[in-house]
Coordinates of all heavy atoms in Angstrom, one line a residue:
K1 N -31.6 -15.8 -0.5 CA -31.6 -17.1 0.3 C -30.5 -17.1 1.3 O -29.3 -16.9 0.9 CB -31.5 -18.3 -0.7 CG -31.7 -19.6 0.0 CD -31.7 -20.7 -1.1 CE -31.8 -22.0 -0.4 NZ -30.5 -22.5 0.2
M2 N -30.8 -17.4 2.5 CA -29.7 -17.4 3.5 C -28.9 -18.7 3.4 O -29.4 -19.7 3.0 CB -30.4 -17.4 5.0 CG -31.0 -16.1 5.4 SD -31.9 -16.3 6.9 CE -30.5 -16.3 8.1
S3 N -27.6 -18.5 3.8 CA -26.8 -19.7 3.8 C -27.2 -20.6 5.0 O -27.7 -20.1 6.0 CB -25.3 -19.3 3.9 OG -25.0 -18.8 5.2
E4 N -26.8 -21.8 4.9 CA -27.2 -22.7 6.0 C -26.5 -22.4 7.3 O -27.2 -22.6 8.4 CB -26.8 -24.2 5.6 CG -27.9 -24.8 4.7 CD -27.5 -26.3 4.4 OE1 -27.1 -27.0 5.3 OE2 -27.7 -26.6 3.2
V5 N -25.3 -21.9 7.2 CA -24.6 -21.5 8.4 C -25.3 -20.4 9.2 O -25.6 -20.5 10.3 CB -23.2 -21.1 8.1 CG1 -22.5 -20.6 9.4 CG2 -22.4 -22.3 7.5
S6 N -25.7 -19.3 8.4 CA -26.3 -18.2 9.1 C -27.7 -18.5 9.6 O -28.2 -18.0 10.6 CB -26.3 -16.9 8.3 OG -27.0 -17.2 7.1
E7 N -28.4 -19.4 8.9 CA -29.7 -19.9 9.3 C -29.6 -20.7 10.6 O -30.4 -20.5 11.5 CB -30.3 -20.8 8.2 CG -31.8 -20.9 8.2 CD -32.3 -21.6 7.0 OE1 -32.1 -22.8 6.8 OE2 -33.0 -20.9 6.2
A8 N -28.6 -21.5 10.7 CA -28.4 -22.3 11.9 C -28.0 -21.3 13.1 O -28.5 -21.6 14.2 CB -27.2 -23.3 11.7
M9 N -27.3 -20.3 12.8 CA -26.9 -19.3 13.8 C -28.2 -18.6 14.4 O -28.4 -18.5 15.6 CB -26.0 -18.2 13.2 CG -24.6 -18.8 12.9 SD -23.6 -19.1 14.3 CE -23.2 -17.4 14.7
T10 N -29.1 -18.2 13.5 CA -30.3 -17.5 14.0 C -31.2 -18.5 14.7 O -31.8 -18.1 15.7 CB -31.1 -16.8 12.8 OG1 -31.3 -17.8 11.8 CG2 -30.3 -15.7 12.2
K11 N -31.2 -19.7 14.3 CA -32.0 -20.7 15.0 C -31.5 -20.9 16.4 O -32.2 -21.2 17.3 CB -32.0 -22.1 14.2 CG -33.2 -22.4 13.5 CD -33.2 -23.9 13.0 CE -33.7 -23.9 11.6 NZ -33.1 -24.9 10.8
A12 N -30.1 -20.9 16.5 CA -29.5 -21.2 17.8 C -29.8 -20.1 18.8 O -29.6 -20.3 20.0 CB -28.0 -21.4 17.6
D13 N -30.3 -18.9 18.4 CA -30.5 -17.8 19.3 C -31.9 -17.7 19.7 O -32.3 -16.7 20.3 CB -30.1 -16.5 18.6 CG -28.5 -16.4 18.4 OD1 -27.9 -17.1 19.2 OD2 -28.1 -15.7 17.6
I14 N -32.8 -18.7 19.4 CA -34.2 -18.7 19.9 C -34.2 -18.8 21.4 O -33.7 -19.7 22.0 CB -35.0 -19.9 19.3 CG1 -34.9 -19.8 17.8 CG2 -36.4 -19.8 19.7 CD1 -35.5 -21.1 17.1
K15 N -34.8 -17.7 22.0 CA -34.9 -17.7 23.4 C -36.4 -17.5 23.7 O -37.1 -16.8 23.1 CB -34.1 -16.5 24.0 CG -32.6 -16.6 23.8 CD -32.0 -17.3 25.0 CE -30.5 -17.4 24.9 NZ -29.9 -18.3 23.9
P16 N -36.8 -18.2 24.8 CA -38.3 -18.0 25.1 C -38.6 -16.6 25.6 O -37.8 -15.9 26.3 CB -38.5 -19.0 26.3 CG -37.1 -19.4 26.7 CD -36.1 -19.1 25.7
K17 N -39.8 -16.1 25.3 CA -40.2 -14.8 25.7 C -40.7 -14.9 27.2 O -40.5 -13.9 28.0 CB -41.4 -14.3 24.9 CG -41.0 -13.9 23.5 CD -42.2 -13.3 22.7 CE -41.9 -13.1 21.3 NZ -41.7 -14.3 20.5
S18 N -41.4 -16.0 27.6 CA -41.9 -16.1 28.9 C -42.0 -17.5 29.3 O -41.9 -18.4 28.5 CB -43.2 -15.4 29.0 OG -44.2 -16.1 28.2
M19 N -42.3 -17.8 30.6 CA -42.4 -19.2 31.1 C -43.5 -19.2 32.1 O -43.7 -18.2 32.9 CB -41.1 -19.5 31.8 CG -41.0 -20.9 32.3 SD -41.7 -21.2 33.9 CE -40.4 -20.5 35.0
H20 N -44.3 -20.3 32.1 CA -45.2 -20.5 33.2 C -45.2 -22.0 33.5 O -44.7 -22.8 32.8 CB -46.7 -20.0 32.8 CG -47.2 -20.7 31.6 ND1 -47.0 -20.3 30.3 CD2 -48.0 -21.9 31.5 CE1 -47.6 -21.2 29.5 NE2 -48.2 -22.1 30.2
R21 N -45.8 -22.3 34.7 CA -45.8 -23.7 35.1 C -47.0 -24.4 34.6 O -48.1 -23.8 34.5 CB -45.8 -23.8 36.6 CG -44.6 -23.1 37.3 CD -43.5 -24.1 37.5 NE -42.3 -23.4 38.0 CZ -41.2 -24.0 38.3 NH1 -41.1 -25.3 38.1 NH2 -40.2 -23.4 38.8
A22 N -46.9 -25.7 34.3 CA -48.0 -26.5 33.8 C -49.0 -26.7 35.0 O -48.5 -26.8 36.2 CB -47.6 -27.8 33.3
K23 N -50.2 -26.7 34.7 CA -51.3 -26.9 35.8 C -52.0 -28.3 35.6 O -52.3 -28.9 36.6 CB -52.3 -25.7 35.7 CG -51.7 -24.4 36.2 CD -52.7 -23.4 36.5 CE -52.1 -22.1 37.0 NZ -50.8 -21.7 36.4
I24 N -52.2 -28.7 34.4 CA -52.8 -30.0 34.2 C -51.9 -30.7 33.2 O -51.2 -30.2 32.3 CB -54.2 -29.9 33.6 CG1 -54.3 -29.0 32.4 CG2 -55.2 -29.4 34.7 CD1 -55.6 -29.1 31.6
W25 N -52.0 -32.1 33.3 CA -51.2 -32.9 32.4 C -51.7 -32.9 31.0 O -52.9 -32.9 30.8 CB -51.2 -34.4 33.0 CG -50.3 -35.3 32.2 CD1 -49.0 -35.5 32.4 CD2 -50.7 -36.1 31.1 NE1 -48.5 -36.4 31.5 CE2 -49.4 -36.7 30.7 CE3 -51.8 -36.3 30.4 CZ2 -49.5 -37.6 29.6 CZ3 -51.8 -37.1 29.3 CH2 -50.6 -37.8 28.9
S26 N -50.8 -32.9 30.1 CA -51.2 -33.1 28.6 C -50.0 -33.8 28.0 O -49.0 -34.0 28.6 CB -51.5 -31.8 28.0 OG -50.3 -31.1 27.8
D27 N -50.2 -34.2 26.7 CA -49.1 -34.8 26.0 C -47.9 -33.9 25.9 O -46.8 -34.3 26.0 CB -49.6 -35.2 24.5 CG -50.6 -36.3 24.5 OD1 -50.9 -36.8 25.6 OD2 -51.0 -36.7 23.4
D28 N -48.2 -32.5 25.7 CA -47.1 -31.6 25.6 C -46.3 -31.5 26.9 O -45.1 -31.4 26.9 CB -47.6 -30.2 25.2 CG -48.1 -30.2 23.8 OD1 -47.7 -31.0 23.0 OD2 -49.0 -29.3 23.4
V29 N -47.1 -31.5 28.0 CA -46.5 -31.4 29.3 C -45.6 -32.6 29.6 O -44.5 -32.6 30.1 CB -47.5 -31.2 30.5 CG1 -47.0 -31.4 31.8 CG2 -48.2 -29.8 30.3
E30 N -46.1 -33.8 29.1 CA -45.4 -35.0 29.3 C -44.0 -34.9 28.6 O -43.0 -35.3 29.2 CB -46.2 -36.2 28.7 CG -45.4 -37.5 28.7 CD -45.2 -38.1 30.2 OE1 -46.1 -38.0 31.0 OE2 -44.1 -38.6 30.4
N31 N -44.0 -34.4 27.4 CA -42.7 -34.4 26.6 C -41.8 -33.3 27.3 O -40.6 -33.5 27.3 CB -43.0 -34.1 25.1 CG -43.3 -35.4 24.4 OD1 -42.9 -36.5 24.8 ND2 -44.1 -35.3 23.3
L32 N -42.4 -32.2 27.7 CA -41.6 -31.1 28.4 C -40.9 -31.7 29.6 O -39.7 -31.5 29.9 CB -42.4 -29.9 28.7 CG -42.8 -29.0 27.6 CD1 -43.8 -28.0 28.0 CD2 -41.6 -28.3 27.0
Y33 N -41.7 -32.5 30.3 CA -41.2 -33.1 31.5 C -39.9 -34.0 31.2 O -38.9 -34.0 31.9 CB -42.3 -34.0 32.1 CG -41.9 -34.9 33.3 CD1 -41.7 -34.3 34.6 CD2 -41.7 -36.2 33.2 CE1 -41.4 -35.1 35.7 CE2 -41.4 -37.0 34.3 CZ -41.2 -36.5 35.5 OH -40.9 -37.3 36.6
R34 N -40.0 -34.7 30.1 CA -38.9 -35.6 29.7 C -37.7 -34.8 29.3 O -36.6 -35.1 29.7 CB -39.4 -36.5 28.6 CG -40.4 -37.5 29.1 CD -41.0 -38.3 28.0 NE -42.2 -39.1 28.5 CZ -42.4 -40.4 28.1 NH1 -41.8 -40.9 27.1 NH2 -43.4 -41.0 28.6
F35 N -37.9 -33.7 28.6 CA -36.8 -32.9 28.1 C -36.1 -32.2 29.4 O -34.9 -32.2 29.5 CB -37.2 -31.7 27.2 CG -37.4 -32.2 25.8 CD1 -38.6 -32.3 25.2 CD2 -36.3 -32.6 25.0 CE1 -38.8 -32.8 23.9 CE2 -36.4 -33.1 23.7 CZ -37.7 -33.2 23.2
Q36 N -37.0 -31.8 30.4 CA -36.4 -31.1 31.5 C -35.7 -32.1 32.5 O -34.7 -31.7 33.1 CB -37.5 -30.3 32.2 CG -37.9 -29.1 31.4 CD -39.2 -28.4 31.8 OE1 -39.7 -28.5 32.9 NE2 -39.7 -27.6 30.8
Q37 N -36.2 -33.3 32.5 CA -35.4 -34.3 33.3 C -34.0 -34.5 32.8 O -33.1 -34.8 33.5 CB -36.2 -35.7 33.2 CG -37.1 -35.9 34.4 CD -37.5 -37.4 34.4 OE1 -37.6 -38.1 33.4 NE2 -37.6 -37.9 35.6
A38 N -33.9 -34.5 31.4 CA -32.7 -34.7 30.8 C -31.8 -33.4 30.8 O -30.7 -33.5 30.3 CB -32.9 -35.2 29.3
G39 N -32.3 -32.4 31.4 CA -31.5 -31.1 31.5 C -31.6 -30.1 30.4 O -30.8 -29.2 30.2
Y40 N -32.8 -30.1 29.7 CA -33.0 -29.2 28.6 C -34.3 -28.4 28.9 O -35.2 -28.9 29.6 CB -33.1 -29.8 27.2 CG -31.9 -30.6 26.9 CD1 -31.8 -31.9 27.2 CD2 -30.8 -29.9 26.3 CE1 -30.6 -32.7 26.9 CE2 -29.7 -30.6 26.0 CZ -29.5 -32.0 26.3 OH -28.4 -32.6 26.0
R41 N -34.4 -27.2 28.4 CA -35.7 -26.5 28.5 C -36.8 -27.2 27.8 O -37.9 -27.4 28.4 CB -35.5 -25.1 27.8 CG -35.6 -23.9 28.7 CD -35.6 -22.6 28.0 NE -35.3 -22.6 26.5 CZ -34.2 -22.0 26.0 NH1 -33.4 -21.4 26.7 NH2 -34.0 -22.1 24.7
D42 N -36.6 -27.5 26.6 CA -37.6 -28.1 25.7 C -37.0 -28.7 24.5 O -35.8 -28.7 24.3 CB -38.7 -27.1 25.4 CG -38.1 -25.8 24.9 OD1 -37.0 -25.8 24.3 OD2 -38.8 -24.8 25.0
E43 N -37.8 -29.1 23.5 CA -37.3 -29.7 22.3 C -36.5 -28.7 21.5 O -35.5 -29.1 20.9 CB -38.5 -30.1 21.4 CG -38.1 -30.9 20.2 CD -39.3 -31.5 19.5 OE1 -40.4 -31.5 20.0 OE2 -39.1 -32.0 18.4
V44 N -36.8 -27.4 21.5 CA -36.1 -26.4 20.8 C -34.6 -26.4 21.3 O -33.7 -26.4 20.5 CB -36.7 -25.0 21.0 CG1 -35.9 -23.9 20.3 CG2 -38.1 -25.0 20.4
E45 N -34.4 -26.3 22.6 CA -33.1 -26.2 23.1 C -32.3 -27.6 22.9 O -31.1 -27.5 22.5 CB -33.1 -25.9 24.6 CG -31.7 -25.7 25.1 CD -31.6 -25.5 26.7 OE1 -32.4 -26.2 27.4 OE2 -30.8 -24.7 27.1
Y46 N -33.0 -28.7 23.0 CA -32.4 -30.0 22.8 C -31.8 -30.0 21.4 O -30.7 -30.4 21.1 CB -33.4 -31.1 23.0 CG -32.8 -32.5 22.8 CD1 -32.0 -33.0 23.8 CD2 -33.1 -33.2 21.7 CE1 -31.4 -34.3 23.6 CE2 -32.5 -34.5 21.5 CZ -31.7 -35.0 22.5 OH -31.1 -36.3 22.3
K47 N -32.6 -29.6 20.4 CA -32.2 -29.7 19.0 C -31.0 -28.7 18.8 O -30.1 -29.1 18.0 CB -33.4 -29.3 18.1 CG -34.4 -30.5 18.0 CD -35.6 -30.1 17.1 CE -36.5 -31.2 16.9 NZ -37.7 -30.9 16.1
Q48 N -31.0 -27.6 19.4 CA -29.9 -26.6 19.3 C -28.6 -27.2 19.8 O -27.6 -27.2 19.2 CB -30.2 -25.4 20.0 CG -31.2 -24.5 19.4 CD -31.7 -23.3 20.3 OE1 -31.1 -23.1 21.4 NE2 -32.7 -22.6 19.9
V49 N -28.7 -27.8 21.0 CA -27.5 -28.3 21.7 C -27.0 -29.5 21.0 O -25.8 -29.6 20.8 CB -27.8 -28.5 23.2 CG1 -26.6 -29.2 23.9 CG2 -28.2 -27.3 23.9
K50 N -27.9 -30.4 20.7 CA -27.4 -31.7 20.1 C -27.3 -31.7 18.7 O -26.9 -32.7 18.0 CB -28.4 -32.9 20.6 CG -28.2 -33.2 22.1 CD -26.8 -33.7 22.3 CE -26.4 -33.8 23.8 NZ -25.0 -34.0 24.0
Q51 N -27.7 -30.6 18.0 CA -27.7 -30.5 16.5 C -28.4 -31.7 15.8 O -27.8 -32.3 15.0 CB -26.2 -30.5 16.1 CG -25.4 -29.3 16.7 CD -25.8 -27.9 16.1 OE1 -25.7 -27.8 14.9 NE2 -26.3 -27.0 17.0
V52 N -29.6 -32.0 16.3 CA -30.4 -33.1 15.6 C -31.6 -32.5 15.0 O -32.1 -31.4 15.5 CB -30.7 -34.2 16.6 CG1 -29.5 -35.0 17.1 CG2 -31.5 -33.6 17.8
D53 N -32.1 -33.1 14.0 CA -33.3 -32.6 13.3 C -34.6 -33.1 14.0 O -35.6 -32.4 14.0 CB -33.3 -33.0 11.9 CG -32.3 -32.3 11.1 OD1 -31.9 -31.1 11.5 OD2 -31.8 -32.9 10.1
K54 N -34.5 -34.4 14.5 CA -35.7 -34.9 15.1 C -35.4 -35.7 16.3 O -34.3 -36.3 16.5 CB -36.6 -35.7 14.2 CG -36.0 -36.9 13.5 CD -36.8 -37.3 12.3 CE -37.9 -38.4 12.6 NZ -37.4 -39.7 13.1
V55 N -36.4 -35.8 17.2 CA -36.2 -36.5 18.5 C -36.9 -37.8 18.3 O -38.0 -37.9 17.7 CB -36.9 -35.7 19.6 CG1 -36.8 -36.4 20.9 CG2 -36.2 -34.3 19.7
E56 N -36.3 -38.9 18.9 CA -36.9 -40.2 18.8 C -38.2 -40.3 19.7 O -38.1 -40.1 20.9 CB -35.9 -41.3 19.2 CG -35.8 -42.5 18.3 CD -34.8 -43.4 18.7 OE1 -33.6 -43.1 18.6 OE2 -35.1 -44.5 19.0
C57 N -39.3 -40.7 19.1 CA -40.6 -40.8 19.8 C -41.2 -42.1 19.7 O -40.9 -42.8 18.7 CB -41.5 -39.7 19.3 SG -41.0 -38.0 19.7
W58 N -42.1 -42.5 20.6 CA -42.8 -43.7 20.5 C -43.9 -43.5 19.5 O -44.7 -42.5 19.6 CB -43.5 -44.0 21.9 CG -42.5 -44.5 22.9 CD1 -42.1 -43.7 24.0 CD2 -41.8 -45.8 23.0 NE1 -41.2 -44.5 24.7 CE2 -41.0 -45.7 24.1 CE3 -41.9 -46.9 22.2 CZ2 -40.2 -46.8 24.5 CZ3 -41.1 -48.0 22.6 CH2 -40.3 -48.0 23.7
P59 N -44.0 -44.4 18.5 CA -45.1 -44.2 17.5 C -46.5 -44.3 18.0 O -47.4 -43.6 17.6 CB -44.8 -45.3 16.5 CG -43.8 -46.3 17.1 CD -43.2 -45.5 18.2
E60 N -46.7 -45.1 19.1 CA -48.1 -45.3 19.6 C -48.6 -44.0 20.3 O -49.7 -43.6 20.2 CB -48.1 -46.4 20.6 CG -47.6 -47.8 20.2 CD -46.0 -47.9 20.3 OE1 -45.4 -47.0 20.8 OE2 -45.6 -49.0 20.0
T61 N -47.7 -43.4 21.1 CA -48.1 -42.3 21.9 C -47.6 -40.9 21.5 O -48.1 -39.9 21.8 CB -47.7 -42.5 23.4 OG1 -46.2 -42.6 23.4 CG2 -48.3 -43.7 24.0
G62 N -46.5 -40.9 20.7 CA -45.9 -39.7 20.3 C -45.0 -39.1 21.4 O -44.5 -38.0 21.3
F63 N -44.8 -39.8 22.5 CA -44.0 -39.3 23.6 C -42.5 -39.5 23.2 O -42.2 -40.4 22.5 CB -44.3 -40.0 25.0 CG -45.7 -39.8 25.5 CD1 -46.3 -40.7 26.2 CD2 -46.3 -38.6 25.3 CE1 -47.6 -40.5 26.7 CE2 -47.6 -38.3 25.8 CZ -48.2 -39.3 26.5
V64 N -41.7 -38.7 23.8 CA -40.2 -38.8 23.6 C -39.7 -40.2 24.1 O -40.1 -40.6 25.2 CB -39.5 -37.7 24.3 CG1 -38.0 -37.9 24.2 CG2 -39.9 -36.3 23.8
K65 N -38.9 -40.9 23.3 CA -38.5 -42.2 23.6 C -37.1 -42.2 24.3 O -36.9 -42.9 25.3 CB -38.4 -43.0 22.3 CG -38.1 -44.5 22.5 CD -38.2 -45.1 21.1 CE -38.1 -46.6 21.2 NZ -38.3 -47.2 19.8
K66 N -36.2 -41.4 23.7 CA -34.8 -41.4 24.2 C -34.2 -40.0 24.0 O -34.4 -39.4 23.0 CB -34.1 -42.5 23.5 CG -32.6 -42.3 23.2 CD -32.1 -43.4 22.4 CE -31.4 -42.9 21.2 NZ -30.8 -43.9 20.3
L67 N -33.5 -39.5 25.0 CA -32.8 -38.3 25.0 C -31.3 -38.4 25.4 O -31.0 -39.2 26.3 CB -33.4 -37.2 25.9 CG -34.8 -36.8 25.5 CD1 -35.4 -35.9 26.6 CD2 -34.8 -36.1 24.1
Q68 N -30.5 -37.7 24.8 CA -29.1 -37.7 25.2 C -28.8 -36.4 26.0 O -29.1 -35.3 25.6 CB -28.2 -37.6 23.9 CG -26.8 -37.9 24.2 CD -25.9 -38.0 22.9 OE1 -26.4 -37.7 21.8 NE2 -24.7 -38.4 23.0
R69 N -28.3 -36.7 27.2 CA -28.0 -35.6 28.1 C -26.7 -34.8 27.6 O -26.0 -35.3 26.7 CB -27.7 -36.1 29.5 CG -29.0 -36.6 30.2 CD -28.9 -36.9 31.7 NE -27.5 -36.9 32.2 CZ -27.2 -37.4 33.3 NH1 -28.0 -38.0 34.1 NH2 -25.9 -37.3 33.7
R70 N -26.4 -33.7 28.3 CA -25.3 -33.0 27.9 C -24.0 -33.7 28.1 O -22.9 -33.5 27.5 CB -25.2 -31.6 28.6 CG -26.3 -30.7 28.2 CD -26.5 -29.5 29.1 NE -27.7 -28.8 28.9 CZ -27.9 -27.8 28.1 NH1 -26.9 -27.3 27.5 NH2 -29.1 -27.2 28.0
D71 N -24.0 -34.6 29.1 CA -22.8 -35.4 29.3 C -22.7 -36.7 28.5 O -22.0 -37.6 28.7 CB -22.6 -35.8 30.8 CG -23.7 -36.6 31.3 OD1 -24.6 -37.0 30.5 OD2 -23.8 -36.9 32.5
N72 N -23.6 -36.7 27.5 CA -23.7 -37.8 26.5 C -24.2 -39.1 27.0 O -24.2 -40.2 26.3 CB -22.4 -38.0 25.8 CG -22.1 -36.9 24.9 OD1 -23.0 -36.2 24.4 ND2 -20.8 -36.6 24.7
T73 N -24.7 -39.2 28.3 CA -25.4 -40.4 28.7 C -26.8 -40.3 28.1 O -27.3 -39.2 27.9 CB -25.5 -40.6 30.2 OG1 -26.1 -39.4 30.8 CG2 -24.1 -40.8 30.8
F74 N -27.5 -41.5 28.0 CA -28.8 -41.5 27.4 C -29.9 -41.7 28.5 O -29.7 -42.4 29.4 CB -29.0 -42.6 26.4 CG -28.3 -42.2 25.1 CD1 -27.0 -42.6 24.8 CD2 -29.0 -41.5 24.1 CE1 -26.4 -42.2 23.6 CE2 -28.5 -41.1 22.9 CZ -27.1 -41.5 22.6
Y75 N -31.0 -41.0 28.3 CA -32.2 -41.3 29.1 C -33.2 -42.0 28.2 O -33.4 -41.6 27.1 CB -32.9 -40.0 29.5 CG -32.4 -39.4 30.8 CD1 -31.3 -40.0 31.5 CD2 -33.0 -38.3 31.4 CE1 -30.9 -39.4 32.8 CE2 -32.6 -37.7 32.5 CZ -31.5 -38.3 33.2 OH -31.1 -37.7 34.4
Y76 N -33.8 -43.1 28.7 CA -34.7 -43.9 27.9 C -36.1 -43.8 28.7 O -36.1 -43.9 29.9 CB -34.3 -45.3 27.8 CG -33.1 -45.5 27.0 CD1 -31.9 -45.5 27.6 CD2 -33.2 -45.6 25.6 CE1 -30.7 -45.7 26.8 CE2 -32.0 -45.8 24.8 CZ -30.8 -45.8 25.4 OH -29.7 -45.9 24.7
Y77 N -37.1 -43.5 28.0 CA -38.5 -43.3 28.6 C -39.5 -44.4 28.1 O -39.3 -44.9 27.0 CB -39.0 -41.9 28.2 CG -38.1 -40.8 28.7 CD1 -37.2 -40.2 27.9 CD2 -38.2 -40.4 30.0 CE1 -36.4 -39.2 28.4 CE2 -37.4 -39.4 30.5 CZ -36.5 -38.8 29.7 OH -35.7 -37.8 30.1
N78 N -40.4 -44.6 29.0 CA -41.5 -45.6 28.7 C -42.5 -45.0 27.6 O -42.5 -43.8 27.5 CB -42.3 -46.0 29.9 CG -41.4 -46.6 30.9 OD1 -40.5 -47.4 30.6 ND2 -41.6 -46.4 32.2
R79 N -43.3 -45.9 27.0 CA -44.2 -45.4 26.1 C -45.4 -44.8 26.8 O -46.2 -44.0 26.3 CB -44.7 -46.4 25.0 CG -45.2 -47.7 25.6 CD -45.7 -48.6 24.4 NE -44.7 -48.8 23.4 CZ -44.0 -49.9 23.3 NH1 -44.2 -50.9 24.2 NH2 -43.1 -50.1 22.4
Q80 N -45.6 -45.2 28.1 CA -46.7 -44.7 28.9 C -46.3 -43.4 29.6 O -45.1 -43.0 29.6 CB -47.2 -45.6 30.0 CG -48.0 -46.8 29.5 CD -47.1 -47.9 29.0 OE1 -46.0 -48.2 29.5 NE2 -47.6 -48.7 28.0
R81 N -47.3 -42.7 30.1 CA -47.1 -41.5 30.8 C -46.1 -41.7 32.0 O -46.2 -42.7 32.7 CB -48.5 -41.0 31.4 CG -48.4 -39.9 32.3 CD -49.8 -39.5 32.8 NE -49.7 -38.5 33.8 CZ -50.7 -37.9 34.4 NH1 -51.9 -38.1 34.0 NH2 -50.5 -36.9 35.3
E82 N -45.2 -40.8 32.2 CA -44.2 -40.8 33.3 C -44.4 -39.7 34.2 O -43.9 -39.8 35.4 CB -42.8 -40.9 32.7 CG -42.4 -42.2 32.1 CD -40.9 -42.4 31.9 OE1 -40.1 -41.6 32.5 OE2 -40.5 -43.3 31.1
C83 N -44.9 -38.6 33.8 CA -45.0 -37.4 34.6 C -46.3 -37.6 35.5 O -47.4 -37.5 35.0 CB -45.1 -36.2 33.7 SG -45.4 -34.6 34.7
E84 N -46.1 -37.8 36.7 CA -47.2 -38.0 37.7 C -47.9 -36.7 38.0 O -47.3 -35.6 37.9 CB -46.8 -38.7 38.9 CG -46.3 -40.1 38.6 CD -45.8 -40.8 39.9 OE1 -46.4 -40.6 41.0 OE2 -44.7 -41.5 39.9
D85 N -49.1 -36.8 38.4 CA -49.9 -35.5 38.8 C -49.1 -34.7 39.8 O -49.1 -33.5 39.6 CB -51.3 -35.9 39.4 CG -52.3 -36.3 38.3 OD1 -52.1 -35.8 37.1 OD2 -53.2 -37.0 38.6
K86 N -48.4 -35.3 40.7 CA -47.7 -34.5 41.7 C -46.5 -33.8 41.1 O -46.0 -32.9 41.7 CB -47.3 -35.4 42.9 CG -46.2 -36.5 42.5 CD -45.8 -37.3 43.7 CE -44.9 -38.4 43.4 NZ -43.7 -38.1 42.7
D87 N -46.1 -34.2 39.9 CA -44.9 -33.5 39.2 C -45.3 -32.5 38.2 O -44.4 -31.8 37.7 CB -44.0 -34.6 38.6 CG -43.4 -35.5 39.7 OD1 -43.1 -35.0 40.8 OD2 -43.2 -36.7 39.4
V88 N -46.6 -32.5 37.8 CA -47.0 -31.6 36.7 C -46.7 -30.2 37.0 O -46.2 -29.5 36.1 CB -48.6 -31.8 36.5 CG1 -49.1 -30.7 35.6 CG2 -48.9 -33.1 35.9
H89 N -46.8 -29.7 38.2 CA -46.5 -28.3 38.5 C -45.1 -27.9 38.4 O -44.7 -26.8 38.4 CB -47.1 -27.9 39.9 CG -46.3 -28.5 41.1 ND1 -46.4 -29.8 41.4 CD2 -45.3 -28.0 41.8 CE1 -45.6 -30.1 42.4 NE2 -44.8 -29.0 42.7
K90 N -44.2 -28.9 38.4 CA -42.8 -28.7 38.3 C -42.4 -28.4 36.8 O -41.3 -27.9 36.6 CB -41.9 -29.9 38.7 CG -42.2 -30.2 40.2 CD -41.4 -31.4 40.6 CE -41.6 -31.9 42.0 NZ -41.2 -33.3 42.2
V91 N -43.2 -28.8 35.9 CA -42.9 -28.6 34.5 C -43.0 -27.2 34.0 O -44.0 -26.5 34.3 CB -43.8 -29.5 33.6 CG1 -43.5 -29.3 32.1 CG2 -43.6 -31.0 34.0
K92 N -42.0 -26.7 33.4 CA -42.0 -25.3 32.9 C -42.3 -25.3 31.4 O -41.8 -26.0 30.6 CB -40.5 -24.7 33.0 CG -40.1 -24.6 34.5 CD -38.7 -24.1 34.6 CE -38.2 -24.0 36.0 NZ -36.8 -23.7 36.1
V93 N -43.3 -24.4 31.1 CA -43.8 -24.4 29.8 C -43.3 -23.0 29.2 O -43.6 -21.9 29.8 CB -45.4 -24.3 29.7 CG1 -45.9 -24.2 28.3 CG2 -45.9 -25.6 30.4
Y94 N -42.5 -23.1 28.2 CA -41.9 -21.8 27.6 C -42.7 -21.3 26.5 O -43.2 -22.1 25.6 CB -40.4 -22.1 27.2 CG -39.6 -22.3 28.4 CD1 -39.4 -23.6 28.9 CD2 -39.0 -21.3 29.1 CE1 -38.5 -23.8 30.0 CE2 -38.2 -21.5 30.2 CZ -38.0 -22.8 30.7 OH -37.2 -23.0 31.8
V95 N -42.8 -20.0 26.4 CA -43.5 -19.4 25.2 C -42.5 -18.6 24.4 O -41.7 -17.9 24.9 CB -44.6 -18.4 25.8 CG1 -45.4 -17.8 24.6 CG2 -45.5 -19.1 26.8
Y96 N -42.6 -18.9 23.1 CA -41.6 -18.2 22.2 C -42.3 -17.1 21.4 O -43.5 -17.1 21.2 CB -41.0 -19.3 21.2 CG -40.1 -20.2 21.9 CD1 -40.6 -21.4 22.5 CD2 -38.8 -19.9 22.1 CE1 -39.7 -22.3 23.1 CE2 -37.9 -20.8 22.7 CZ -38.4 -21.9 23.3 OH -37.5 -22.8 23.9

């Protein structure tokens, strides 16, 4: 059984294998948009940097509710969709 420290170390080294841009909006694209607005690749990187186990989400929609940026200011998001169609192509989808 691995110690918690070495387990955390291997988790911290997760790097995406590839990246493509989103073409159509989905719940996943919405959440990626929110992470990327706050300065993170995705939920994986956010959890690594902020050392948190779970991200606060809206129970109704499952969308990310609040994120802490690297400079420790908070971003708060609405429960409705925020990523407009014109912004969908800006969202980077990472493959692990």
